[in-house]
Amino acid sequence: MEETRGRITKDSIRIYEDSDFAGMRTAGKVAAAILDLVGPLVVPGVTTAALDDFITDEVKRRGVISATIGYRGYQHASCISVNHVVCHGIPGSKVIKDGDILNIDVTVIVDGWFGDTSRMYVAGTSSRKAQRLIEVTHDSLMKGIEAVKPGNTFGDIGNAIQTYVEGQRMSVVRDFCGHGLGRVFHSAPNVLHYGRAGTGAVLEEGMFFTIEPMVNLGRPETKVLADDWTAVTRDKSLSAQYEHSIGVTATGAEIFTLSPGGVYKAAFEG
């Protein structure tokens, strides 16, 4: 679907109208609600295909559209990335084991608006280092969001994330980034999760985009497997990711994909 609203900045970033926030709230809430519901199913012995089947059924039950089914040939309603998979893991026959960590990424289209979010989960009991990785990744996302306000730059977002993560002796993936969205899945800007403060495009009220840092326990380098989707850490270290869709307001950021059930760190919910 083509964009028709708002204006375009010199950096090719769309500025949306106040009335457009309502559509993004609805789409974001649906995506986040699905992640709430899938959490209790993440247990040792389940397959990633079974988790995706549940998500597919939930999308249909709600009468919305999966943005990923059919996207560039992709055939699933979610990406499920386990342990050292950084992102874009394809659901399949893989059986989840006790202690595995998973990122589940869901994007839905509701009345033409895209809601895109991902969250970490733990099957059974994880190691302390895995839990700390998940905590740091979630906190880095929130620090990036705290840097969002008109007059700041995209470099401020990346710098806030990178400074925090590297201060925890972990690394930020550089091969993937956040993106603009709204009535399209991906658009300008590219939202880097590293960088120098004060650089990049200036944030303006009405911008919509995702922030979705990927954090590795080891080095930041990744490689994409032969399926042309699955990205893994080159050193096979654990990786984690959290993603929110946000809109820039007059005073900061509105998070469209907050959990309706108040589940912010699904991995640690009882």
Side-chain angles (χ1 to χ4, degrees):
M1 180 178 295
E2 293 185 356
E3 296 273 18
T4 58
R5 298 169 180 260
R7 63 178 177 84
I8 304 293
T9 72
K10 63 181 178 62
D11 298 294
S12 301
I13 303 170
R14 184 167 295 279
I15 304 299
Y16 287 90
E17 301 168 358
D18 289 347
S19 58
D20 295 329
F21 277 73
M24 290 298 289
R25 289 183 194 115
T26 300
K29 185 176 181 179
V30 170
I34 292 172
L35 290 187
D36 279 7
L37 293 172
V38 78
L41 306 181
V42 180
V43 295
V46 72
T47 65
T48 54
L51 296 174
D52 184 70
D53 287 345
F54 172 83
I55 292 167
T56 302
D57 290 344
E58 190 63 23
V59 168
K60 292 177 180 177
R61 186 184 73 80
R62 291 170 178 268
V64 300
I65 300 169
S66 167
T68 53
I69 295 176
Y71 178 76
R72 296 183 179 176
Y74 196 78
Q75 295 302 313
H76 303 277
S78 65
C79 293
I80 303 179
S81 304
V82 183
N83 293 334
H84 73 291
V85 178
V86 175
C87 60
H88 303 158
I90 302 174
S93 60
K94 181 178 178 60
V95 176
I96 300 302
K97 300 180 179 65
D98 183 63
D100 282 349
I101 64 172
L102 294 70
N103 176 271
I104 302 180
D105 190 337
V106 171
T107 308
V108 296
I109 310 170
V110 182
D111 296 328
W113 296 98
F114 284 71
D116 187 3
T117 186
S118 79
R119 198 182 296 169
M120 293 301 297
Y121 302 84
V122 168
T125 304
S126 69
S127 66
R128 177 56 194 147
K129 67 178 182 180
Q131 289 191 14
R132 183 168 173 269
L133 170 66
I134 291 170
E135 290 170 344
V136 168
T137 305
H138 179 268
D139 291 347
S140 76
L141 167 62
M142 301 313 294
K143 288 184 180 296
I145 293 173
E146 288 172 5
V148 175
K149 63 179 180 180
N152 277 4
T153 68
F154 283 94
D156 293 327
I157 298 172
N159 182 260
I161 294 168
Q162 180 183 7
T163 299
Y164 176 72
V165 169
E166 293 179 353
Q168 304 300 314
R169 305 181 69 83
M170 300 179 192
S171 64
V172 177
V173 170
R174 287 157 167 74
D175 297 332
F176 302 93
C177 60
H179 54 87
L181 82 170
R183 295 181 73 86
V184 293
F185 197 171
H186 298 98
S187 62
N190 289 333
V191 183
L192 305 181
H193 305 117
Y194 62 94
R196 291 190 297 115
T199 63
V202 175
L203 295 162
E204 295 185 42
E205 183 178 359
M207 289 180 174
F208 295 164
F209 51 86
T210 70
I211 304 177
E212 46 186 296
M214 289 141 275
V215 176
N216 297 345
L217 272 180
R219 293 185 56 81
E221 292 84 8
T222 71
K223 65 178 179 180
V224 176
L225 302 185
D227 60 27
D228 290 331
W229 283 103
T230 309
V232 300
T233 55
R234 283 191 173 272
D235 61 6
K236 297 186 177 180
S237 64
L238 290 177
S239 186
Q241 180 187 21
Y242 276 91
E243 174 184 17
H244 275 315
S245 297
I246 71 165
V248 182
T249 69
T251 57
E254 177 177 347
I255 303 174
F256 299 128
T257 46
L258 286 175
S259 159
V263 182
Y264 298 101
K265 297 182 182 178
F268 307 120
E269 296 298 315

